[in-house]
Amino acid sequence: MGKPVRRAANATGAVFQIAAGPLGGWLAGVGVGEVSRQNPTPVVPAGYAFSIWGPIFALCLAYAVWQALPGVRVPGVLGWSTAGTFFLSGVWELLFPLRLFAGAQVVLTGSFLCAGAAYLGLRGVEGRAGRWLAGLSVGLLFGWLSAATFVGLATTVEGLGAGIGAGIASSLLLVAGVVVAAAAAVRAVPAQGRVACGAAGLWAFFAVIAGQGGNSPIAAAAAALAAVFVVAALAAGLYGRISPAGGSRA
């Protein structure tokens, strides 16, 4: 009974997180991007950064279809964690446009934690299809949520009227960089997942540099340093799989 429920939860969640964005915008009369622009912080990324949700949604949907196929074996921790992060991401898309900032941040943090558990669950994935579909979808989602959760905390504080300084915001950005770098260095996770995670983090950090380069040099510098962490971790992790003679170490 557990597997059918888990498979159905993933399929439903993948569709829900796609539909929740337009639904949240319709209910609030304004979309996520507009609310973010109305509550600017020293670490808000350039607007183009949010286009990453397109490939994330598409990959998560492909993963949801794959994991529901007969004969496909998905580790329980991975399957339940992806279902959780899909649903929570959708709920966040409903709450944030309504300016329910505190609740939205709690939900976003929960989605980030579920994505982290799913990312570690990639260690049990078998087969080429699993490494590519699960690795790319979960890696991309976790990498983006790692940055979005901490950047979103700055937006939440701003939205609640407390205000946030560039120093604190930049510190949150550096924490995000450390999280993404640490994840990219976990060699037991398939390379597809680690590269996708690192790429999503770099996308976020470069978008912060593009959005804040002329407004907040401190935040731009923190984003650049975070990007360096990720590149170094990715290089170290990927190099560890290749011997000097060209053979695989793993």
Side-chain angles (χ1 to χ4, degrees), residues 77-230:
V77 64
L78 171 61
W80 286 117
S81 297
T82 50
T85 195
F86 294 165
F87 275 107
L88 290 173
S89 293
V91 173
W92 178 83
E93 293 175 71
L94 297 177
L95 295 180
F96 189 78
L98 293 171
R99 296 178 175 80
L100 300 174
F101 295 114
Q105 185 62 36
V106 170
V107 169
L108 182 61
T109 302
S111 182
F112 160 69
L113 294 175
C114 284
Y119 184 78
L120 294 178
L122 290 174
R123 294 175 294 183
V125 170
E126 300 176 354
R128 180 175 296 179
R131 289 192 295 272
W132 280 98
L133 279 176
L136 290 179
S137 57
V138 173
L140 203 62
L141 181 60
F142 179 56
W144 175 253
L145 287 178
S146 297
T149 299
F150 293 99
V151 171
L153 180 58
T155 302
T156 296
V157 173
E158 188 69 31
L160 293 174
I164 189 167
I168 296 176
S170 299
S171 298
L172 292 173
L173 199 61
L174 288 176
V175 171
V178 170
V179 171
V180 177
V186 180
R187 294 180 184 174
V189 171
Q192 292 89 339
R194 290 185 284 124
V195 170
C197 177
L202 291 175
W203 176 267
F205 301 139
F206 285 134
V208 171
I209 295 172
Q212 299 299 327
N215 302 319
S216 178
I218 294 177
L225 185 56
V228 170
F229 291 160
V230 176

Side-chain angles (χ1 to χ4, degrees), residues 1-15 64 67-68 80 83 87:
M1 184 66 180
K3 287 184 179 179
V5 172
R6 188 180 69 207
R7 290 172 174 174
N10 273 282
T12 306
V15 173
Q67 61 88 42
W80 286 117
F87 275 107

Side-chain angles (χ1 to χ4, degrees), residues 30-41 44-48 50 96 155:
V30 63
V32 168
E34 181 60 29
V35 174
S36 178
R37 286 190 290 272
Q38 291 173 0
N39 298 276
T41 72
V44 66
Y48 72 81
F50 300 101
F96 189 78
T155 302

